[in-house]
Amino acid sequence: LHSEKFLDLKAGDLMIPLERVAHVQSNNSLEHALLVLTKSGYTAVPVLDYHDRLHGLISTPLIMEAILGLERIEFEKLEKIRVEEVMNKKIPRIRPDSPLHQYLHLLVDHPFICVENESGFFEGIVTRRVVLDLLTKKSSF
Amino acid sequence: LHSEKFLDLKAGDLMIPLERVAHVQSNNSLEHALLVLTKSGYTAVPVLDYHDRLHGLISTPLIMEAILGLERIEFEKLEKIRVEEVMNKKIPRIRPDSPLHQYLHLLVDHPFICVENESGFFEGIVTRRVVLDLLTKKSSF
Ligand SMILES: Nc1ncnc2c1ncn2[C@@H]1O[C@@H]2COP(=O)(O)O[C@H]3[C@@H](O)[C@H](n4cnc5c(N)ncnc54)O[C@@H]3COP(=O)(O)O[C@H]2[C@H]1O
Ligand SMILES: Nc1ncnc2c1ncn2[C@@H]1O[C@@H]2COP(=O)(O)O[C@H]3[C@@H](O)[C@H](n4cnc5c(N)ncnc54)O[C@@H]3COP(=O)(O)O[C@H]2[C@H]1O
């Protein structure tokens, strides 16, 4: 079943590269972020700066939670709050040469993992879908 | 590695049971659905009727897409649209006795799969997390 090879696969080989990753800038408004999420159809995306450095992730749950008032969802607040005030900064990062056996456990709690190179620049994301797809092909005998 | 046993695991043994699954009713407003999603922290949940029959799933992307106007997101429409008008009705269903090797491929495209018994009643959901957790434990030698 080549299980050793499956678990040796490098993040750089499995990732969706930067140019295909929807993302927002840390200084964007939540209104802009919600539009990006709505148009891309994703529920969470990475937050970068203008130098392609990774700052965190923003999701619809985080945005909605930030504008949930006592009586209703306060949508007028969206344009007044910035992504960096609400984003999740505590996210794991892996290197392009990290083998799957080192980061598989991260996919248990995170739908995607960000790949960052040694110079600190964002390179792409490894998603649950890609790993499950490999697992499915590997287990169909 | 007991791979045969891993792939034989039944949906009923892996699922989060109904009583622990956040869900909405098909005749709820999108406003109510968005509140349920925001408070539960989930980005998508099953849609049931009062007899615990499964009708589809509702997600924040589907809700936002439904109120996205030409100029802005039209939040005032949330209370006027019902879940059943917007939900995704084309969702796979598996039986409680379905073995993992039969539905693993479904998790490639779906973050969770609904479990429905022979009488047509919703019993729970099998999530990607549960399967990835098992895979991680199985592959740590
Ligand atoms: N436009 C689309 N076309 C086909 N399938 C779609 C899709 N949008 C969502 N899905 C399906 O829904 C799953 C959950 O998407 P979600 O946006 O919540 O969660 C996504 C999203 O937060 C992020 N993600 C995936 N691709 C991305 C991209 N190109 N740019 C930015 N973020 C991405 O990684 C998470 C996990 O993605 P994963 O592929 O494992 O799992 C995806 C995929 O199986
Ligand atoms: N309150 C929480 N506590 C701990 N971790 C949390 C969490 N909320 C989300 N997560 C993490 O984020 C992943 C994606 O959640 P999401 O809500 O987009 O996507 C979820 C959601 O749409 C649905 N789901 C999971 N548990 C549910 C429940 N109890 N009721 C209703 N829907 C549920 O199944 C999808 C996949 O769930 P999965 O567990 O594989 O993957 C979850 C889990 O790893």
Side-chain angles (χ1 to χ4, degrees):
Chain A
L1 282 174
H2 310 293
S3 57
E4 305 80 17
K5 290 191 175 177
F6 171 67
L7 292 167
D8 288 339
L9 287 166
K10 304 282 182 282
D13 296 329
L14 296 184
M15 71 185 188
I16 297 173
L18 169 52
E19 57 270 17
R20 286 201 281 136
V21 176
H23 62 271
V24 295
Q25 300 290 326
S26 35
N27 61 350
N28 288 153
S29 67
L30 291 193
E31 182 178 50
H32 179 84
L34 187 57
L35 276 166
V36 170
L37 289 169
T38 301
K39 290 178 184 178
S40 67
Y42 296 119
T43 61
V45 297
V47 179
L48 307 179
D49 63 23
Y50 295 111
H51 303 285
D52 285 344
R53 268 185 304 250
L54 177 65
H55 287 253
L57 71 82
I58 191 71
S59 66
T60 28
L62 282 172
I63 293 174
M64 289 300 143
E65 192 182 20
I67 62 169
L68 183 64
L70 288 171
E71 314 243 323
R72 59 183 185 85
I73 300 178
E74 296 167 2
F75 297 107
E76 64 279 6
K77 283 189 171 176
L78 285 171
E79 50 185 344
K80 299 173 189 168
I81 306 172
R82 287 188 315 277
V83 167
E84 58 200 347
E85 300 173 57
V86 165
M87 66 187 181
N88 175 10
K89 296 177 189 172
K90 294 173 62 177
I91 54 168
R93 298 131 195 265
I94 54 180
R95 291 267 190 266
D97 60 358
S98 305
L100 184 55
H101 63 79
Q102 255 181 29
Y103 59 87
L104 180 60
H105 69 286
L106 294 176
L107 288 168
V108 173
D109 290 317
H110 304 273
F112 68 92
I113 316 290
C114 292
V115 183
E116 192 177 65
N117 61 30
E118 295 78 19
S119 324
F121 294 104
F122 174 78
E123 290 212 355
I125 61 175
V126 176
T127 61
R128 281 174 170 172
R129 181 186 194 288
V130 163
V131 171
L132 286 164
D133 191 35
L134 282 165
L135 174 65
T136 304
K137 293 188 166 89
K138 158 173 137 68
S139 48
S140 52
F141 3 91
Chain B
L1 284 173
H2 309 293
S3 56
E4 305 80 18
K5 289 192 178 175
F6 171 66
L7 293 167
D8 288 339
L9 288 165
K10 304 282 182 281
D13 296 328
L14 295 184
M15 70 186 188
I16 295 174
L18 168 53
E19 56 270 17
R20 286 201 281 136
V21 175
H23 61 271
V24 296
Q25 300 291 327
S26 34
N27 61 351
N28 289 152
S29 68
L30 291 193
E31 184 178 47
H32 178 85
L34 188 57
L35 276 165
V36 171
L37 289 170
T38 301
K39 289 179 185 177
S40 68
Y42 297 117
T43 60
V45 296
V47 179
L48 307 179
D49 62 24
Y50 295 111
H51 303 286
D52 286 344
R53 268 185 303 251
L54 178 65
H55 287 254
L57 72 80
I58 189 74
S59 66
T60 28
L62 282 172
I63 293 174
M64 290 300 143
E65 190 183 21
I67 61 169
L68 183 62
L70 288 171
E71 312 242 326
R72 60 183 185 85
I73 300 179
E74 297 167 2
F75 297 106
E76 63 280 5
K77 282 187 169 178
L78 285 169
E79 49 185 346
K80 300 173 187 168
I81 306 172
R82 287 190 315 278
V83 167
E84 58 201 347
E85 300 173 57
V86 165
M87 68 187 179
N88 175 11
K89 295 177 191 172
K90 293 174 63 176
I91 54 168
R93 296 131 196 266
I94 55 179
R95 292 268 190 267
D97 60 358
S98 303
L100 183 55
H101 63 79
Q102 254 180 30
Y103 60 87
L104 180 60
H105 69 284
L106 294 175
L107 287 169
V108 173
D109 290 316
H110 304 273
F112 68 91
I113 316 292
C114 292
V115 183
E116 192 177 66
N117 62 30
E118 295 78 18
S119 322
F121 294 104
F122 174 78
E123 290 212 355
I125 61 175
V126 176
T127 61
R128 281 174 170 173
R129 181 186 195 286
V130 164
V131 172
L132 286 164
D133 192 34
L134 281 166
L135 173 66
T136 305
K137 293 187 165 90
K138 161 174 135 67
S139 47
S140 54
F141 3 90

